[in-house]
Amino acid sequence: MTKTDRSLLSRRSMLAIGTAALAAPMLGRRANAQTASLTVADPGGPFNAGFSKAFYEPFTAETGIEIVSVARDAEPTAQFKSIVETGSYIWDVCTLTLSARLILEQEDLLDDIQLDPALAENMMPGSVHSNFLGTDVYATISAFNTQSMENGPSSWADFWDTDAFPGRRALRRNPIDTLEQALMADGVAPEDLYPLDVDRAFAKLDEIKDHIDVWWTGGAQSTQLLQSGEVDMLAGWNARLQSAIDTGTPAELVWNQGLYSIEGWGLPKGGPNVDAARQFLAFCARPEQQALFTDDLSYGPTNLSAYEHISEERAKVLTTAPANLDGMVLADESWWEANRAEMTERFNLWLLM
Amino acid sequence: MSSVTSNISARGGALSRLKLGPLWLAAPALAFVAVFLLLPMLRLIGLSFSGEETAGVSLEHYQHLADTPIYMRILWITFRISILTAFFSVLLGYPVAAWLARLPDSSRNKWLFLVLLPFWTSYLVKTFAWMIMLGDRGLFNSILTGTGVTDGSLDLMYNEFGVLVGMVHAMMPLAILTMVPVMTGIDRRLPLAAGSLGAKRAQRFWLIEFPLAMPGVAAGGLLTFITSLGFFIVPAYLGGRGQTMLAQIIIMQVQELVNWAFAAVLSVMLVAAALVAIWIYDQFFGLSSLTQASSTGVKGSKKGAQWLRGAGQKVLAGLAWICSPFNRLGDRGDDGPKPVRAAYLGALFLFLLAPAIIVLPLAFTAEQALTFPPPSYSTRWFSEYFGSQIWISATLRSFGVAFATAILATVLGGMAALALARSDSKWGKTVFGLMLAPMIVPRIVIAVGLFYLMAQIGLVASNIGLIIGHTLLAIPFTFIAIGAVLKGYDWRLDQAAATLGAGRIKVLRLITLPLLRGGIISAALFAFVTSFDELTIALFISGGLKSTLPKQMWDDMYLQLNPTLAAVSVVVLVIVTAILLLAQRLQKS
């Protein structure tokens, strides 16, 4: 019943009144010869700090092309659409999740990255596509405050066990990852999650519903929840939780039964600076560059050779460190792509009931 | 000029129906509203009836709406929260408005300034400050547990209470500002006369003062209700799982699920809800009483309202009777100190100003985390702000856009107000309604409609797109502000100048404009601040390097949430305060 109407905008824009002519001045594309600067959209926060050090500043130093970074919305799909369809390229490069990549690929809104295959040799499986360069691997895990809890939950079943682990809890206000967590709490093995048994997941969520004090929406909020002591345990993205720890919050991450996924660069189709953007992406595939962002952003580099440049100490908190990766599974983006609208609706209703 | 009007109407015939007289002055504003509000609205409605595959009209999205219980539930929650917000804003704001109305003009303006300040403080800043105050380890809970008032922390946030605190705080200034002008128009000798005839305090209030203030109360309630319908920041950050409002779902449909048609359906629903509220209001009070000035007494032109007014009188008499045992409570007499009232006013102003008070020290924290009170102080977050190209460019952009908006909205709204003041055409009411329409349609719907339009004409992420959107929002404000001064304007002055040989332009330049100066300045400043603080439209139409300051703050709150936000808030607060002070200064001189 649920239908996402993605074709609509483009169909409508064909019909757009004569005003479409106004878009004509957006010419002068492909005037690539001397790109002076690239506009790169990243998710802000620790990303911005980490990527500046690893990618933006060194790239400028090497090529003379300035990188201007801006923050993008959580889901830049709608913006991508309007950028490409109206030719107003406010970004040259933008970070995407794998699921956003899938949506944008289906709508033909991404440009080829034309990456030299040699650069992709030691990269994580699934992190390089013809139109996507994975830069970092993130994981949805849990964390607990070590000051308020001596003993934290070490699995989702523990997280659900409100008797053994009393305290204030937070989950993400989104069905993505949350349904998987409920299933794992109910005893489903991480490798058997997909396709998700949705009814079972919601039944399990019912059990914990009244014990969740905060349903967070933005990544920054999860950091703040842990940092301020608002909750004792929560689910969240590992780097967001780690950045609370990095600023002195007494907390511990639980990698067991985490779900990981890959984030990376995509190029809006037909952008004016596409050659320079490709050059930038190739730069970001280098292991020695990727190693640099891990100081500020504790996501795992996609180029596994990067670990040769990372201290053993820091490697422990990174997603792609073998010890952490072992207990985790890759989230299935294609399942979510097919079911997302329906699950979002059902989850939101469930929240209100 | 009025002779021209009468000439035209004297001509009669088919031509006079087309001639609008001075109403032509309203044409630019009308065209603007038609192209950037009505057209997008119509297209949204069209979109909501579009089918997935077929090209024709389809009800499938409405079918989906009806089949899925969630949306009716969210509509109900949206209504409930908006009604409660309107109720508490009016209820708690009433004593403040009544007190302000009795002050002498000069000191009233000073206190109104304190009411206006939180009104023009960015929603983001206010919400952010409430998060710090209401949290489980927040300021209030630390005070409560620290002083031993309560054993454990109270749940002040992530529930309906938190949402209502945030929303009432945001809306109360609007309620107060709407009630004050009506209350200043009440003849204060009336309650005195009633008292001398033996009416007790409860009777004086419920049977005399309150009915006279009713148009203001109703207008305040209506405006706060309609504005509340479109809220999304407060429920997102201060609400719990049960507080999802329609605007949040609309944003999600557009930005995450890219489902335009369904977003259109939800928008249509929201507009319908607002229109129903307005229709009810119009039945009882008449829409024109919305434009403050000195509308005295209930209009009650509609017959259908008669029985309800009768019933209302009975209710008020009942209230007077119920309250009569408490006649002796509280402050006595008309002179001398009034400790109860002073305490209430003090508490309320503290409530209104609390977010600003909280943000100030946080902006000077030396920590990375947002702990309050800060353990140590520094100016590092200001250096961060002033050193950041993104923040500075967003600030400059906001200034530019707000400046252009102020000029455009003042010219358009001012001409329309002038047209309406000089015309007695039957179209006047329609023009009036259209001028107020941008205030009546929830902002989120305007934003979605404009985004859909501008995505197609390449104005997304452009300054022009932002200026258009902000001007649309500011037109009702400038129209009302200038309209209010025009009501008291003596047109014979224009005529006198004209008989002395001044041409039209000269009259406008030397007589009309200088006399309207106060109204024009406040209109322009209203428009400026409306634009400077605007997020909803900026959320859709700005982006990337073209962000405005509120949009940049929103991104920061979502993605980063560190004390830079507090530092930026302080900068914004200083700017807005400076502008408001400047406005007062200019109006006086």
Side-chain angles (χ1 to χ4, degrees), chain B residues 106-139:
Chain B
S106 57
S107 53
R108 184 194 304 139
N109 282 342
K110 281 190 194 119
W111 287 102
L112 267 179
F113 175 76
L114 284 185
V115 177
L116 269 173
L117 196 62
F119 187 56
W120 291 129
T121 311
S122 148
Y123 284 125
L124 286 168
V125 178
K126 289 186 271 199
T127 309
F128 168 69
W130 285 116
M131 281 167 65
I132 287 154
M133 285 186 276
L134 300 178
D136 186 58
R137 307 270 174 94
L139 185 61

mmCIF file of all heavy atoms in Angstrom, chain B residues 106-139:
data_model
loop_
_atom_site.group_PDB
_atom_site.id
_atom_site.type_symbol
_atom_site.label_atom_id
_atom_site.label_comp_id
_atom_site.label_asym_id
_atom_site.label_seq_id
_atom_site.Cartn_x
_atom_site.Cartn_y
_atom_site.Cartn_z
ATOM 1 N N SER B 106 4.519 55.064 28.065
ATOM 2 C CA SER B 106 5.973 54.997 27.997
ATOM 3 C C SER B 106 6.503 53.765 28.731
ATOM 4 O O SER B 106 7.351 53.033 28.215
ATOM 5 C CB SER B 106 6.573 56.275 28.585
ATOM 6 O OG SER B 106 6.111 56.428 29.918
ATOM 7 N N SER B 107 5.996 53.511 29.924
ATOM 8 C CA SER B 107 6.543 52.356 30.635
ATOM 9 C C SER B 107 5.992 51.059 30.046
ATOM 10 O O SER B 107 6.639 50.026 30.127
ATOM 11 C CB SER B 107 6.253 52.441 32.138
ATOM 12 O OG SER B 107 4.888 52.632 32.369
ATOM 13 N N ARG B 108 4.799 51.125 29.434
ATOM 14 C CA ARG B 108 4.297 49.913 28.788
ATOM 15 C C ARG B 108 5.246 49.469 27.692
ATOM 16 O O ARG B 108 5.551 48.292 27.546
ATOM 17 C CB ARG B 108 2.919 50.155 28.188
ATOM 18 C CG ARG B 108 2.345 48.876 27.604
ATOM 19 C CD ARG B 108 1.163 49.118 26.711
ATOM 20 N NE ARG B 108 0.148 49.852 27.416
ATOM 21 C CZ ARG B 108 -0.545 50.843 26.861
ATOM 22 N NH1 ARG B 108 -0.342 51.170 25.609
ATOM 23 N NH2 ARG B 108 -1.442 51.493 27.550
ATOM 24 N N ASN B 109 5.755 50.425 26.914
ATOM 25 C CA ASN B 109 6.674 50.056 25.839
ATOM 26 C C ASN B 109 7.929 49.381 26.365
ATOM 27 O O ASN B 109 8.452 48.462 25.750
ATOM 28 C CB ASN B 109 7.034 51.290 25.016
ATOM 29 C CG ASN B 109 5.898 51.640 24.065
ATOM 30 O OD1 ASN B 109 5.034 50.793 23.807
ATOM 31 N ND2 ASN B 109 5.880 52.868 23.585
ATOM 32 N N LYS B 110 8.387 49.832 27.518
ATOM 33 C CA LYS B 110 9.580 49.200 28.092
ATOM 34 C C LYS B 110 9.311 47.742 28.439
ATOM 35 O O LYS B 110 10.115 46.853 28.153
ATOM 36 C CB LYS B 110 10.017 49.960 29.337
ATOM 37 C CG LYS B 110 10.771 51.220 28.990
ATOM 38 C CD LYS B 110 11.408 51.840 30.217
ATOM 39 C CE LYS B 110 11.852 53.266 29.913
ATOM 40 N NZ LYS B 110 11.188 54.258 30.742
ATOM 41 N N TRP B 111 8.165 47.512 29.077
ATOM 42 C CA TRP B 111 7.870 46.126 29.461
ATOM 43 C C TRP B 111 7.535 45.272 28.251
ATOM 44 O O TRP B 111 7.877 44.093 28.216
ATOM 45 C CB TRP B 111 6.711 46.096 30.471
ATOM 46 C CG TRP B 111 7.137 46.571 31.823
ATOM 47 C CD1 TRP B 111 6.890 47.792 32.374
ATOM 48 C CD2 TRP B 111 7.903 45.846 32.784
ATOM 49 N NE1 TRP B 111 7.452 47.862 33.620
ATOM 50 C CE2 TRP B 111 8.083 46.690 33.900
ATOM 51 C CE3 TRP B 111 8.454 44.559 32.805
ATOM 52 C CZ2 TRP B 111 8.779 46.297 35.034
ATOM 53 C CZ3 TRP B 111 9.150 44.160 33.924
ATOM 54 C CH2 TRP B 111 9.320 45.030 35.024
ATOM 55 N N LEU B 112 6.868 45.886 27.267
ATOM 56 C CA LEU B 112 6.569 45.131 26.047
ATOM 57 C C LEU B 112 7.849 44.655 25.377
ATOM 58 O O LEU B 112 7.891 43.599 24.772
ATOM 59 C CB LEU B 112 5.776 46.002 25.064
ATOM 60 C CG LEU B 112 4.255 45.897 25.144
ATOM 61 C CD1 LEU B 112 3.612 46.832 24.144
ATOM 62 C CD2 LEU B 112 3.783 44.470 24.896
ATOM 63 N N PHE B 113 8.872 45.451 25.527
ATOM 64 C CA PHE B 113 10.166 45.075 24.975
ATOM 65 C C PHE B 113 10.630 43.742 25.564
ATOM 66 O O PHE B 113 11.127 42.862 24.861
ATOM 67 C CB PHE B 113 11.170 46.195 25.282
ATOM 68 C CG PHE B 113 12.559 45.872 24.863
ATOM 69 C CD1 PHE B 113 12.918 45.936 23.523
ATOM 70 C CD2 PHE B 113 13.500 45.498 25.799
ATOM 71 C CE1 PHE B 113 14.192 45.625 23.137
ATOM 72 C CE2 PHE B 113 14.783 45.194 25.409
ATOM 73 C CZ PHE B 113 15.137 45.262 24.081
ATOM 74 N N LEU B 114 10.431 43.583 26.860
ATOM 75 C CA LEU B 114 10.832 42.327 27.512
ATOM 76 C C LEU B 114 9.971 41.153 27.054
ATOM 77 O O LEU B 114 10.404 40.014 27.074
ATOM 78 C CB LEU B 114 10.739 42.463 29.032
ATOM 79 C CG LEU B 114 11.851 43.252 29.699
ATOM 80 C CD1 LEU B 114 11.710 43.196 31.204
ATOM 81 C CD2 LEU B 114 13.222 42.722 29.289
ATOM 82 N N VAL B 115 8.732 41.451 26.669
ATOM 83 C CA VAL B 115 7.883 40.395 26.132
ATOM 84 C C VAL B 115 8.314 40.047 24.714
ATOM 85 O O VAL B 115 8.320 38.881 24.310
ATOM 86 C CB VAL B 115 6.400 40.832 26.145
ATOM 87 C CG1 VAL B 115 5.519 39.783 25.515
ATOM 88 C CG2 VAL B 115 5.936 41.103 27.570
ATOM 89 N N LEU B 116 8.688 41.067 23.958
ATOM 90 C CA LEU B 116 9.079 40.869 22.566
ATOM 91 C C LEU B 116 10.401 40.129 22.433
ATOM 92 O O LEU B 116 10.602 39.378 21.498
ATOM 93 C CB LEU B 116 9.213 42.220 21.870
ATOM 94 C CG LEU B 116 7.971 42.770 21.183
ATOM 95 C CD1 LEU B 116 8.229 44.178 20.710
ATOM 96 C CD2 LEU B 116 7.590 41.889 19.997
ATOM 97 N N LEU B 117 11.277 40.340 23.372
ATOM 98 C CA LEU B 117 12.618 39.769 23.254
ATOM 99 C C LEU B 117 12.583 38.242 23.113
ATOM 100 O O LEU B 117 13.162 37.703 22.166
ATOM 101 C CB LEU B 117 13.462 40.203 24.456
ATOM 102 C CG LEU B 117 14.960 40.000 24.265
ATOM 103 C CD1 LEU B 117 15.469 40.834 23.107
ATOM 104 C CD2 LEU B 117 15.704 40.359 25.535
ATOM 105 N N PRO B 118 11.880 37.533 24.015
ATOM 106 C CA PRO B 118 11.798 36.084 23.799
ATOM 107 C C PRO B 118 11.052 35.718 22.530
ATOM 108 O O PRO B 118 11.328 34.696 21.922
ATOM 109 C CB PRO B 118 11.047 35.571 25.030
ATOM 110 C CG PRO B 118 10.428 36.747 25.660
ATOM 111 C CD PRO B 118 11.254 37.930 25.284
ATOM 112 N N PHE B 119 10.121 36.583 22.110
ATOM 113 C CA PHE B 119 9.368 36.290 20.894
ATOM 114 C C PHE B 119 10.296 36.262 19.691
ATOM 115 O O PHE B 119 10.163 35.438 18.794
ATOM 116 C CB PHE B 119 8.288 37.358 20.701
ATOM 117 C CG PHE B 119 7.348 37.076 19.564
ATOM 118 C CD1 PHE B 119 6.642 35.881 19.518
ATOM 119 C CD2 PHE B 119 7.156 37.989 18.550
ATOM 120 C CE1 PHE B 119 5.769 35.616 18.480
ATOM 121 C CE2 PHE B 119 6.272 37.728 17.514
ATOM 122 C CZ PHE B 119 5.583 36.539 17.466
ATOM 123 N N TRP B 120 11.247 37.146 19.676
ATOM 124 C CA TRP B 120 12.161 37.213 18.538
ATOM 125 C C TRP B 120 13.427 36.413 18.749
ATOM 126 O O TRP B 120 14.350 36.494 17.970
ATOM 127 C CB TRP B 120 12.497 38.671 18.224
ATOM 128 C CG TRP B 120 11.358 39.449 17.673
ATOM 129 C CD1 TRP B 120 10.915 40.646 18.128
ATOM 130 C CD2 TRP B 120 10.511 39.106 16.577
ATOM 131 N NE1 TRP B 120 9.848 41.066 17.374
ATOM 132 C CE2 TRP B 120 9.580 40.135 16.423
ATOM 133 C CE3 TRP B 120 10.443 38.012 15.704
ATOM 134 C CZ2 TRP B 120 8.600 40.130 15.441
ATOM 135 C CZ3 TRP B 120 9.461 38.012 14.733
ATOM 136 C CH2 TRP B 120 8.560 39.051 14.612
ATOM 137 N N THR B 121 13.529 35.708 19.851
ATOM 138 C CA THR B 121 14.675 34.822 20.015
ATOM 139 C C THR B 121 14.394 33.563 19.221
ATOM 140 O O THR B 121 13.295 33.029 19.286
ATOM 141 C CB THR B 121 14.851 34.454 21.492
ATOM 142 O OG1 THR B 121 14.805 35.642 22.264
ATOM 143 C CG2 THR B 121 16.166 33.763 21.729
ATOM 144 N N SER B 122 15.392 33.110 18.506
ATOM 145 C CA SER B 122 15.211 31.951 17.643
ATOM 146 C C SER B 122 14.597 30.765 18.405
ATOM 147 O O SER B 122 14.970 30.475 19.532
ATOM 148 C CB SER B 122 16.568 31.578 17.061
ATOM 149 O OG SER B 122 16.650 30.217 16.856
ATOM 150 N N TYR B 123 13.658 30.096 17.756
ATOM 151 C CA TYR B 123 13.057 28.894 18.344
ATOM 152 C C TYR B 123 14.122 27.885 18.750
ATOM 153 O O TYR B 123 14.009 27.198 19.752
ATOM 154 C CB TYR B 123 12.135 28.213 17.327
ATOM 155 C CG TYR B 123 10.834 28.910 17.146
ATOM 156 C CD1 TYR B 123 10.413 29.319 15.893
ATOM 157 C CD2 TYR B 123 10.010 29.164 18.230
ATOM 158 C CE1 TYR B 123 9.204 29.971 15.715
ATOM 159 C CE2 TYR B 123 8.798 29.812 18.060
ATOM 160 C CZ TYR B 123 8.400 30.220 16.801
ATOM 161 O OH TYR B 123 7.217 30.869 16.629
ATOM 162 N N LEU B 124 15.151 27.819 17.913
ATOM 163 C CA LEU B 124 16.205 26.843 18.187
ATOM 164 C C LEU B 124 16.890 27.164 19.496
ATOM 165 O O LEU B 124 17.154 26.293 20.314
ATOM 166 C CB LEU B 124 17.219 26.857 17.057
ATOM 167 C CG LEU B 124 16.736 26.203 15.782
ATOM 168 C CD1 LEU B 124 17.679 26.524 14.650
ATOM 169 C CD2 LEU B 124 16.643 24.710 15.986
ATOM 170 N N VAL B 125 17.175 28.440 19.685
ATOM 171 C CA VAL B 125 17.876 28.843 20.898
ATOM 172 C C VAL B 125 17.012 28.544 22.114
ATOM 173 O O VAL B 125 17.481 28.013 23.128
ATOM 174 C CB VAL B 125 18.193 30.351 20.831
ATOM 175 C CG1 VAL B 125 18.873 30.804 22.102
ATOM 176 C CG2 VAL B 125 19.040 30.651 19.630
ATOM 177 N N LYS B 126 15.719 28.860 21.989
ATOM 178 C CA LYS B 126 14.820 28.645 23.117
ATOM 179 C C LYS B 126 14.739 27.163 23.451
ATOM 180 O O LYS B 126 14.834 26.763 24.620
ATOM 181 C CB LYS B 126 13.427 29.182 22.756
ATOM 182 C CG LYS B 126 13.375 30.698 22.695
ATOM 183 C CD LYS B 126 11.964 31.203 22.473
ATOM 184 C CE LYS B 126 11.645 31.309 20.999
ATOM 185 N NZ LYS B 126 10.502 32.173 20.706
ATOM 186 N N THR B 127 14.576 26.355 22.422
ATOM 187 C CA THR B 127 14.445 24.917 22.642
ATOM 188 C C THR B 127 15.707 24.342 23.268
ATOM 189 O O THR B 127 15.661 23.541 24.206
ATOM 190 C CB THR B 127 14.179 24.219 21.292
ATOM 191 O OG1 THR B 127 13.114 24.884 20.660
ATOM 192 C CG2 THR B 127 13.819 22.770 21.493
ATOM 193 N N PHE B 128 16.809 24.787 22.730
ATOM 194 C CA PHE B 128 18.117 24.363 23.206
ATOM 195 C C PHE B 128 18.281 24.701 24.701
ATOM 196 O O PHE B 128 18.710 23.877 25.508
ATOM 197 C CB PHE B 128 19.124 25.098 22.325
ATOM 198 C CG PHE B 128 20.545 25.072 22.749
ATOM 199 C CD1 PHE B 128 21.259 23.900 22.688
ATOM 200 C CD2 PHE B 128 21.185 26.238 23.149
ATOM 201 C CE1 PHE B 128 22.591 23.885 23.045
ATOM 202 C CE2 PHE B 128 22.515 26.226 23.504
ATOM 203 C CZ PHE B 128 23.211 25.043 23.449
ATOM 204 N N ALA B 129 17.841 25.892 25.066
ATOM 205 C CA ALA B 129 17.952 26.292 26.467
ATOM 206 C C ALA B 129 17.026 25.459 27.358
ATOM 207 O O ALA B 129 17.406 25.055 28.461
ATOM 208 C CB ALA B 129 17.622 27.775 26.613
ATOM 209 N N TRP B 130 15.830 25.171 26.867
ATOM 210 C CA TRP B 130 14.926 24.346 27.675
ATOM 211 C C TRP B 130 15.480 22.943 27.859
ATOM 212 O O TRP B 130 15.295 22.318 28.903
ATOM 213 C CB TRP B 130 13.530 24.290 27.050
ATOM 214 C CG TRP B 130 12.753 25.555 27.251
ATOM 215 C CD1 TRP B 130 12.317 26.407 26.282
ATOM 216 C CD2 TRP B 130 12.339 26.128 28.504
ATOM 217 N NE1 TRP B 130 11.664 27.473 26.850
ATOM 218 C CE2 TRP B 130 11.657 27.332 28.206
ATOM 219 C CE3 TRP B 130 12.485 25.752 29.834
ATOM 220 C CZ2 TRP B 130 11.117 28.154 29.194
ATOM 221 C CZ3 TRP B 130 11.948 26.564 30.811
ATOM 222 C CH2 TRP B 130 11.275 27.747 30.495
ATOM 223 N N MET B 131 16.180 22.436 26.850
ATOM 224 C CA MET B 131 16.777 21.110 26.991
ATOM 225 C C MET B 131 17.747 21.083 28.160
ATOM 226 O O MET B 131 17.836 20.109 28.900
ATOM 227 C CB MET B 131 17.521 20.713 25.708
ATOM 228 C CG MET B 131 16.602 20.234 24.606
ATOM 229 S SD MET B 131 17.458 20.126 23.018
ATOM 230 C CE MET B 131 18.650 18.840 23.342
ATOM 231 N N ILE B 132 18.470 22.185 28.293
ATOM 232 C CA ILE B 132 19.452 22.242 29.376
ATOM 233 C C ILE B 132 18.768 22.399 30.734
ATOM 234 O O ILE B 132 19.216 21.852 31.728
ATOM 235 C CB ILE B 132 20.444 23.381 29.095
ATOM 236 C CG1 ILE B 132 21.358 22.943 27.965
ATOM 237 C CG2 ILE B 132 21.247 23.754 30.319
ATOM 238 C CD1 ILE B 132 21.932 24.046 27.181
ATOM 239 N N MET B 133 17.640 23.093 30.728
ATOM 240 C CA MET B 133 16.970 23.323 32.010
ATOM 241 C C MET B 133 16.138 22.136 32.459
ATOM 242 O O MET B 133 16.036 21.858 33.653
ATOM 243 C CB MET B 133 16.083 24.565 31.899
ATOM 244 C CG MET B 133 16.872 25.855 31.906
ATOM 245 S SD MET B 133 15.787 27.280 31.943
ATOM 246 C CE MET B 133 15.399 27.480 30.235
ATOM 247 N N LEU B 134 15.517 21.446 31.521
ATOM 248 C CA LEU B 134 14.515 20.446 31.904
ATOM 249 C C LEU B 134 15.042 19.020 31.980
ATOM 250 O O LEU B 134 14.313 18.113 32.376
ATOM 251 C CB LEU B 134 13.332 20.487 30.925
ATOM 252 C CG LEU B 134 12.564 21.802 30.826
ATOM 253 C CD1 LEU B 134 11.465 21.690 29.787
ATOM 254 C CD2 LEU B 134 11.962 22.173 32.170
ATOM 255 N N GLY B 135 16.281 18.786 31.572
ATOM 256 C CA GLY B 135 16.803 17.427 31.516
ATOM 257 C C GLY B 135 16.793 16.705 32.862
ATOM 258 O O GLY B 135 16.602 17.316 33.912
ATOM 259 N N ASP B 136 17.014 15.390 32.780
ATOM 260 C CA ASP B 136 17.025 14.571 33.994
ATOM 261 C C ASP B 136 18.115 15.045 34.962
ATOM 262 O O ASP B 136 17.962 15.021 36.169
ATOM 263 C CB ASP B 136 17.287 13.113 33.588
ATOM 264 C CG ASP B 136 17.159 12.172 34.769
ATOM 265 O OD1 ASP B 136 16.085 12.143 35.373
ATOM 266 O OD2 ASP B 136 18.152 11.492 35.101
ATOM 267 N N ARG B 137 19.239 15.477 34.401
ATOM 268 C CA ARG B 137 20.303 16.062 35.224
ATOM 269 C C ARG B 137 20.363 17.561 34.986
ATOM 270 O O ARG B 137 21.399 18.178 35.158
ATOM 271 C CB ARG B 137 21.664 15.442 34.846
ATOM 272 C CG ARG B 137 21.696 13.941 34.887
ATOM 273 C CD ARG B 137 22.112 13.463 36.255
ATOM 274 N NE ARG B 137 22.012 12.024 36.358
ATOM 275 C CZ ARG B 137 23.015 11.174 36.138
ATOM 276 N NH1 ARG B 137 24.187 11.627 35.793
ATOM 277 N NH2 ARG B 137 22.833 9.876 36.255
ATOM 278 N N GLY B 138 19.253 18.108 34.533
ATOM 279 C CA GLY B 138 19.244 19.517 34.152
ATOM 280 C C GLY B 138 19.158 20.443 35.344
ATOM 281 O O GLY B 138 19.169 20.034 36.507
ATOM 282 N N LEU B 139 19.040 21.730 35.032
ATOM 283 C CA LEU B 139 19.080 22.769 36.056
ATOM 284 C C LEU B 139 17.971 22.611 37.099
ATOM 285 O O LEU B 139 18.213 22.609 38.304
ATOM 286 C CB LEU B 139 18.968 24.129 35.366
ATOM 287 C CG LEU B 139 19.103 25.351 36.258
ATOM 288 C CD1 LEU B 139 20.467 25.363 36.918
ATOM 289 C CD2 LEU B 139 18.909 26.607 35.438
#
